Amino acid sequence: MIELRDITKIYTRGSVTFTALKDISFNINKGDYCTVVGSSGAGKSTLLNIIAGLVHPDSGNIYYNRSDIYQQKAGDLNNYRRKRLGFVFQQFYLMPYLTVAENIRLACHNKQHAGKLDFYLGKFSLSGMGNKYPSELSVGEKQRTAFIRAIISEPEMLLADEPAGNLDPGNRSVLMNLIGEYHKNGGTVILVTHDPSMSEHSNISITLEKGMIQNNTMRVPSTQK
Ligand SMILES: Nc1ncnc2c1ncn2[C@@H]1O[C@H](COP(=O)(O)OP(=O)(O)OP(=O)(O)O)[C@@H](O)[C@H]1O
Ligand SMILES: [Mg+2]
């Protein structure tokens, strides 16, 4: 489904360069549940942003269903981001001038998706907060809003960058169950996490250190679980 071949990303500021990812290669198949772990600065967010079609690598290729996402037309890349992916950003990136409900509706492709808004708000104890603006929310409320926005359109692939980083145990468990359900229904998950208990459900675990893969553990194929 997703194939990374020798991905390298170098950040440059003036004459200073920093290699954030070096020669990263791995495959993710449909239905896989992959966790990405590693210390702060290891390159996890950079990797997720590259897979999401948001940050161009300096070299290497990423294939989605055998087509190189960075070699295709801009319209196709937008389509890939919008129609195939749900993305939970580490910094949430909610639209400040839109309410919680409007932020989430922006990600809905049809009335069926939008019809699930109240269900998700209820699940995450956000009922009655649909008309609030992001600046009026706690960090955990923003994170839950960002998660609903990512999952409501039932994307083929869910990319989530520390999606439970600011959640209390109750909401964390709701989020884990929703990711589990999404995965059981055939969704593909790539999850960045510092939390070992979130890796329990994964069949692939990638450890990044200083921009390089330390191990790439393939567990039981998720379809056999
Ligand atoms: N736009 C940028 N310009 C320059 N350096 C950057 C940029 N973005 C990230 N970096 C650097 O690249 C490295 C990897 O950053 P990245 O955000 O991918 O790490 P991370 O593994 O997600 O860390 P964390 O766990 O703290 O979120 C870091 O050392 C960071 O300082
Ligand atoms: Mg990060």
Side-chain angles (χ1 to χ4, degrees), residues 66-84:
R66 294 176 195 280
S67 132
D68 188 326
I69 64 167
Y70 289 105
Q71 299 294 329
Q72 57 192 2
K73 287 179 284 179
D76 291 339
L77 183 56
N78 281 335
N79 232 13
Y80 164 74
R81 293 190 195 110
R82 187 169 146 66
K83 298 267 173 68
R84 313 269 181 217

Side-chain angles (χ1 to χ4, degrees), residues 109-214:
H109 302 149
N110 56 44
K111 279 189 181 157
Q112 212 184 335
H113 297 157
K116 288 183 300 183
L117 178 64
D118 287 338
F119 164 79
Y120 279 115
L121 291 178
K123 275 251 175 205
F124 275 126
S125 313
L126 293 172
S127 298
M129 292 202 192
N131 291 327
K132 280 195 167 193
Y133 289 90
S135 59
E136 301 170 315
L137 301 177
S138 73
V139 178
E141 287 161 358
K142 283 184 205 169
Q143 186 153 43
R144 274 128 67 199
T145 303
F147 181 79
I148 299 172
R149 180 181 61 181
I151 207 164
I152 201 159
S153 63
E154 295 166 353
E156 285 174 20
M157 195 157 70
L158 178 67
L159 304 179
D161 199 345
E162 286 279 1
N166 301 284
L167 301 187
D168 58 79
N171 279 306
R172 200 181 146 284
S173 139
V174 171
L175 178 129
M176 285 308 296
N177 288 338
L178 285 173
I179 295 182
E181 238 167 74
Y182 164 81
H183 178 238
K184 211 166 62 192
N185 292 332
T188 305
V189 179
I190 307 181
L191 188 70
V192 171
T193 180
H194 285 291
D195 180 347
S197 71
M198 289 187 91
S199 302
E200 274 170 24
H201 308 279
S202 63
N203 65 313
I204 302 175
S205 174
I206 291 170
T207 304
L208 276 183
E209 275 320 319
K210 295 187 177 153
M212 287 183 280
I213 292 186
Q214 295 303 300

Side-chain angles (χ1 to χ4, degrees), residues 11 13 18 20 38-47 90 161 194:
Y11 290 114
R13 189 173 298 143
F18 178 81
S39 47
S40 182
K44 304 179 299 295
S45 295
T46 303
L47 178 66
Q90 193 169 15
D161 199 345
H194 285 291

